[in-house]
Amino acid sequence: MAAAVFQGFGASTALSLSKSFDSKRVKLPFGRSLSERRASFVVVGSDGRVVLDSSRAQKLVTNAVATKGDSAAATSASKPGHELLLFEALQEGLEEEMERDPLVCVMGEDVGHYGGSYKVTKGLATKYGDLRVLDTPIAENSFTGMGIGAAMTGLRPIVEGMNMGFLLLAYNQISNNCGMLHYTSGGQFKIPIVIRGPGGVGRQLGAEHSQRLESYFQSIPGIQMVACSTPYNAKGLMKAAIRSDNPVILFEHVLLYNLKERIPDEEYVLSLEEAEMVRPGEHVTILTYSRMRYHVMQAAKTLVNKGYDPEVIDIRSLKPFDLYTIGNSVKKTHRVLIVEECMRTGGIGASLTAAINENFHDYLDAPIVCLSSQDVPTPYAGTLEEWTVVQPGQIVTAVEQLCK
Amino acid sequence: MALSRAASSPSRAALLKPLAAAISSSLFRRPISTDTTPITVETSVPFTAHRCEAPSRTVETTAEELVGFFRTMALMRRAEIAADSLYKAKLIRGFCHLYDGQEAVAIGMEAAITKKDCIITAYRDHCIYLGRGGTLLEVFAELMGRQAGCSKGKGGSMHFYKKDAGFYGGHGIVGAQIPLGIGLAFAQKYKKDESVSFALYGDGAANQGQLFEALNMAALWDLPAILVCENNHYGMGTAEWRAAKSPAYYKRGDYVPGLKVDGMDALAVKQACKFAKEHALKNGPIILEMDTYRYHGHSMSDPGSTYRTRDEISGVRQERDPIERIRKLVLSLDLATEKELKDIEKEVRKEVDDAIAQAKESPMPDPSELFTNVYVKGYGVESFGADRKEVRAVLP
């Protein structure tokens, strides 16, 4: 059995697995002893790397006896976990954290009585009260500042931008106060705030409601950025972001809120700095995040039929990049394609291209290809909007070019 | 130097004051720093109120407090003047915004509150930091960018913080500290702390939209926030009447009560802050406008004389200087002699010089400090920028 499941996190060497494992020695990220955390589990691979993979987790939980081959799907007789939509997964993560820690609070426009414009905070106001799930007036700059001020004293607020684009009004607060206070105070203050909201190009929402802010925020020192793409990683990243003592910006996507997936019943938290291996392969590394993951997977089907074997990685962590996972992949395939929804100029792809070139130049057989959205404000007309973002057909063509 | 001492009932004060005066003049000189018999003083200017009842002009204080005020204000004044010379000697670089002339606001506020109450201000923060309990060494070391500074040399003049004393800075972008201050008040209400937050800003920042947004929220949720406008009448080079249609800053809260205070009178400030704290805990936000003045320019790069006359500056210095006011009060109440006060000033000067010498000896931060404190060590990874140059560090 290559992997072992035990309640713990981060074995430092591969060897420790083969020896008898002293579970009391393992230190959990949030400082609680193992005995307290009965319900959680995490999978550690045989090479010592922690893998948080839902399919493998499921396999290990349901099949107590020897596993049968490689079928990822569990038997239909006893399907573990529960099925839900992405916004429900976010809500579950949020609710679990609010239950666990009374200092966690939510603030944003229409998050309370209305239940959230995308229903992520539905029902929370009735459960936790109006102060803990705070309906703010339309004053992004100030309520983000208010959240940061509250975080300075120890509260753990989650600020929701009804649409990520509105957070441009709070840019000063996010950049100067949120990102920099830990540094300029010499470590006195920590800002455990989470700023989240939907962004990205939706269905004909118009230019100002289709913004991708990850490129604007990426230079701010002191913040972490993550983008969720499936219900599984949405819940895990939400919980991790809330527990992190650093300011985290969680990017959701307007079109992904109704994705359905089966997630485990047990409590789990994902790592904020880790990328997700969506599909292992040999020929080319495709790096993507958020909605473009689905375009890539669609393209991957076509590519597989054509005989290519792409390795798809959902980078998830936009700041800092998980160059470890990405690097290992580059060392294997020697070709990189980045597919993102950001603008071409100054986007996440541009930074990632630079980072990979700098660090893994020797391993590349071909220049990195980066497919991003066009440098135009998103038009309203459906056909035009379709062509501002990267389509699966373009991805297939790019891979074919790259692997020539 | 303890700054706050609760006064007892007025009737006792009325009885004791002539008695105490009689004793002192006829018998021996009682030690000036330990007498706590209450004294009542009238503020020079009455308070002007907006949507609330102005507090009484009669302030209760003690000899200890008054002499303490004198000492601390002299310390602040000396520290700012010393910072001026250090800047001209190029030991302090960048921006240096000096507070001399406005010391009464810092002192009076401290006298009315506890360390559990929070203060947040913009970049003119040296004296408020001192008032909150910061040491001179930390101030000068931070100004010179040394390790012994309060922010380890990484903040500079505009980023002084003291978390254990409830001082939240120290902010460069003026106006942005107001929503932060409202956030502090929010947390206090959330945790049911029974303490208040003072968010200080200037007449220039009073025109920022964030102020009104924050005020709206604070009033909506009855947050224990007190917004203090330190009106020194100039937003850098622009006089208040050229920047604001309505320079009555205490009235601009509209539905929020306001109080205009003579900011050069430490006792008036103390009375106003005490009143404001009681108000905020019961009824929500209140605006205090402190009518004050700065002698230096906006910062060390501003001579301060291109937009105002030297006569104006020296006029204020002669008539309204906060330290002189306290000195006259102490001398008239016979709480100390001229010589004792001069001794205090000499002592203070020496203290400042010693602190500067000590700060000069403190080393510059280590180069590795460039990368510390960017992130809190959360999940055990130390990040060096957007991508990690080293293999991901593993959790312990």
Side-chain angles (χ1 to χ4, degrees):
Chain A
M1 188 62 158
V5 178
F6 47 83
Q7 293 180 316
F9 192 78
S12 44
T13 62
L15 292 167
S16 63
L17 278 171
S18 50
K19 297 183 205 150
S20 60
F21 186 70
D22 181 2
S23 62
K24 289 195 189 37
R25 257 187 34 239
V26 174
K27 192 153 168 268
L28 290 169
F30 358 95
R32 272 147 142 223
S33 71
L34 277 167
S35 50
E36 287 174 7
R37 293 186 46 81
R38 299 164 284 115
S40 73
F41 69 93
V42 140
V43 176
V44 179
S46 59
D47 53 353
R49 268 187 63 226
V50 172
V51 170
L52 290 147
D53 186 318
S54 62
S55 56
R56 276 173 86 181
Q58 281 182 336
K59 185 158 59 168
L60 292 157
V61 166
T62 54
N63 301 318
V65 285
T67 54
K68 264 195 220 162
D70 240 8
S71 75
T75 62
S76 52
S78 60
K79 272 195 165 174
H82 53 286
E83 220 175 43
L84 41 54
L85 305 176
L86 196 144
F87 73 85
E88 288 169 348
L90 286 166
Q91 187 194 19
E92 225 178 68
L94 184 50
E95 198 165 339
E96 279 173 23
E97 289 304 301
M98 286 183 82
E99 195 66 51
R100 179 177 173 266
D101 185 352
L103 291 176
V104 176
C105 57
V106 184
M107 46 184 85
E109 293 159 18
D110 276 329
V111 294
H113 294 186
Y114 192 81
S117 51
Y118 291 94
K119 296 181 269 186
V120 174
T121 49
K122 191 161 174 206
L124 294 180
T126 19
K127 191 168 172 194
Y128 295 109
D130 278 346
L131 194 69
R132 241 182 125 181
V133 185
L134 192 64
D135 273 328
T136 62
I138 306 178
E140 280 79 7
N141 195 358
S142 304
F143 69 71
T144 310
M146 190 173 98
I148 296 168
M152 280 165 94
T153 63
L155 245 51
R156 307 187 84 93
I158 295 147
V159 173
E160 172 173 315
M162 191 182 267
N163 187 293
M164 267 289 171
F166 304 163
L167 290 180
L168 284 174
L169 287 157
Y171 200 103
N172 176 47
Q173 296 288 352
I174 296 174
S175 162
N176 289 333
N177 293 331
C178 180
M180 299 194 193
L181 269 170
H182 186 62
Y183 190 87
T184 54
S185 66
Q188 284 180 66
F189 298 113
K190 59 176 206 237
I191 317 282
I193 193 175
V194 176
I195 299 174
R196 51 160 290 269
V201 175
R203 293 257 181 271
Q204 299 188 256
L205 297 176
E208 288 172 12
H209 290 74
S210 314
Q211 299 202 61
R212 287 128 284 171
L213 256 48
E214 35 294 6
S215 52
Y216 304 165
F217 289 143
Q218 66 177 321
S219 302
I220 300 173
I223 57 162
Q224 284 192 276
M225 304 201 304
V226 283
C228 63
S229 48
T230 66
Y232 180 78
N233 64 32
K235 179 175 174 187
L237 289 175
M238 169 73 97
K239 289 169 74 86
I242 296 172
R243 292 189 196 189
S244 169
D245 281 339
N246 291 307
V248 179
I249 306 186
L250 173 58
F251 290 92
E252 302 154 10
H253 198 286
V254 273
L255 294 180
L256 298 183
Y257 278 125
N258 290 323
L259 278 179
K260 196 186 277 208
E261 192 186 353
R262 189 160 224 111
I263 65 168
D265 285 327
E266 298 80 9
E267 200 186 358
Y268 65 94
V269 185
L270 296 178
S271 167
L272 284 176
E273 296 96 359
E274 240 186 37
E276 189 178 318
M277 178 71 71
V278 184
R279 180 190 189 283
E282 294 290 323
H283 289 166
V284 59
T285 301
I286 305 183
L287 301 172
T288 180
Y289 66 91
S290 194
R291 179 183 168 219
M292 287 297 116
R293 168 190 173 137
Y294 296 94
H295 281 207
V296 167
M297 289 312 287
Q298 212 179 328
K301 272 196 253 179
T302 320
L303 285 169
V304 166
N305 288 337
K306 291 194 175 180
Y308 295 96
D309 188 17
E311 176 154 296
V312 180
I313 297 181
D314 181 345
I315 59 174
R316 261 179 13 196
S317 170
L318 303 177
K319 185 180 166 93
F321 291 132
D322 183 4
L323 285 179
Y324 185 69
T325 311
I326 295 172
N328 283 342
S329 175
V330 172
K331 288 176 192 173
K332 186 167 59 161
T333 66
H334 310 295
R335 288 181 176 82
V336 180
L337 171 68
I338 302 174
V339 180
E340 54 156 3
E341 203 174 328
C342 252
M343 310 283 207
R344 170 145 222 91
T345 310
I348 296 286
S351 299
L352 194 50
T353 307
I356 298 175
N357 269 327
E358 223 170 80
N359 290 297
F360 306 115
H361 186 258
D362 291 333
Y363 296 97
L364 291 169
D365 280 347
I368 302 176
V369 177
C370 180
L371 295 177
S372 11
S373 298
Q374 304 306 314
D375 276 328
V376 295
T378 313
Y380 166 73
T383 43
L384 290 180
E385 187 188 61
E386 222 178 275
W387 285 104
T388 52
V389 294
V390 180
Q391 298 297 328
Q394 293 169 306
I395 303 174
V396 174
T397 321
V399 171
E400 287 176 338
Q401 285 279 358
L402 201 50
C403 292
K404 231 195 282 258
Chain B
M1 191 84 325
L3 288 179
S4 54
R5 263 282 168 249
S8 53
S9 64
S11 51
R12 252 189 76 206
L15 254 176
L16 287 170
K17 183 163 174 260
L19 201 60
I23 291 175
S24 68
S25 57
S26 56
L27 297 174
F28 45 87
R29 164 73 45 213
R30 61 181 135 54
I32 53 174
S33 54
T34 55
D35 187 25
T36 54
T37 47
I39 304 170
T40 43
V41 184
E42 275 234 330
T43 65
S44 49
V45 174
F47 299 104
T48 333
H50 168 73
R51 282 185 185 267
C52 66
E53 283 268 326
S56 127
R57 270 176 81 176
T58 326
V59 188
E60 290 187 343
T61 179
T62 67
E64 184 187 1
E65 183 173 66
L66 284 175
V67 179
F69 277 9
F70 181 83
R71 186 173 205 287
T72 317
M73 283 206 277
L75 188 82
M76 291 177 175
R77 178 68 61 92
R78 190 88 277 285
E80 294 294 71
I81 305 288
D84 179 309
S85 349
L86 285 176
Y87 192 90
K88 291 185 174 132
K90 291 214 195 298
L91 282 165
I92 300 179
R93 315 302 303 273
F95 291 128
C96 190
H97 306 88
L98 298 176
Y99 201 71
D100 54 323
Q102 297 182 211
E103 298 92 352
V105 176
I107 281 289
M109 191 180 293
E110 272 311 320
I113 61 177
T114 68
K115 291 288 188 286
K116 271 188 75 195
D117 299 310
C118 307
I119 300 184
I120 190 169
T121 182
Y123 44 68
R124 217 176 282 279
D125 53 355
H126 307 166
C127 297
I128 305 200
Y129 177 77
L130 284 172
R132 285 261 94 177
T135 66
L136 284 168
L137 171 63
E138 284 169 344
V139 169
F140 288 113
E142 184 63 36
L143 286 174
M144 294 196 272
R146 309 296 173 104
Q147 270 180 25
C150 55
S151 302
K152 302 192 192 143
K154 299 206 281 197
S157 160
M158 300 190 281
H159 299 284
F160 281 25
Y161 306 92
K162 197 164 170 64
K163 184 164 189 191
D164 51 10
F167 181 52
Y168 288 84
H171 294 277
I173 305 297
V174 92
Q177 79 275 13
I178 304 171
L180 289 184
I182 300 297
L184 298 174
F186 177 81
Q188 285 169 331
K189 183 171 177 125
Y190 191 98
K191 293 190 213 167
K192 302 198 174 75
D193 262 354
E194 291 300 303
S195 48
V196 296
S197 293
F198 286 81
L200 277 62
Y201 58 98
D203 47 297
N207 297 316
Q208 276 263 324
Q210 328 186 40
L211 195 164
F212 299 96
E213 292 179 13
L215 211 55
N216 177 38
M217 291 197 285
L220 200 56
W221 302 316
D222 286 326
L223 300 182
I226 298 158
L227 273 71
V228 180
C229 178
E230 292 179 294
N231 184 7
N232 55 25
H233 307 288
Y234 294 95
M236 199 161 95
T238 311
E240 61 176 343
W241 55 271
R242 288 182 66 226
K245 182 74 180 172
S246 158
Y249 298 105
Y250 69 107
K251 282 198 193 153
R252 283 167 87 177
D254 186 24
Y255 42 82
V256 173
L259 199 65
K260 185 166 169 150
V261 187
D262 178 5
M264 301 298 246
D265 182 353
L267 293 169
V269 173
K270 172 184 164 193
Q271 182 83 324
C273 291
K274 218 161 111 214
F275 171 75
K277 176 168 176 175
E278 280 161 25
H279 184 280
L281 283 173
K282 274 202 315 263
N283 304 332
I286 181 172
I287 301 182
L288 295 178
E289 181 186 338
M290 304 284 177
D291 186 355
T292 179
Y293 200 84
R294 55 168 163 81
Y295 298 140
H296 269 91
H298 163 76
S299 71
M300 286 306 299
S301 16
D302 169 31
S305 49
T306 54
Y307 46 87
R308 50 187 190 172
T309 59
R310 288 195 196 280
D311 288 337
E312 183 187 303
I313 306 172
S314 49
V316 174
R317 207 188 270 272
Q318 269 178 346
E319 285 163 42
R320 298 178 65 202
D321 186 73
I323 303 182
E324 288 312 304
R325 191 186 295 240
I326 295 287
R327 188 201 299 267
K328 282 196 205 120
L329 190 63
V330 165
L331 290 176
S332 72
L333 288 176
D334 224 3
L335 305 173
T337 60
E338 186 84 43
K339 181 173 179 307
E340 280 167 341
L341 294 182
K342 281 244 159 27
D343 283 341
I344 291 180
E345 284 183 315
K346 278 205 207 106
E347 224 180 274
V348 149
R349 198 187 181 108
K350 183 167 181 310
E351 237 181 86
V352 167
D353 288 338
D354 284 343
I356 294 179
Q358 211 183 342
K360 280 186 184 160
E361 282 172 31
S362 173
M364 286 290 202
D366 211 58
S368 70
E369 284 283 318
L370 182 62
F371 297 110
T372 57
N373 298 133
V374 179
Y375 293 107
V376 176
K377 241 174 177 274
Y379 287 96
V381 181
E382 250 181 16
S383 297
F384 285 65
D387 39 83
R388 280 160 286 180
K389 292 243 164 201
E390 315 193 271
V391 170
R392 185 182 58 155
V394 180
L395 291 176

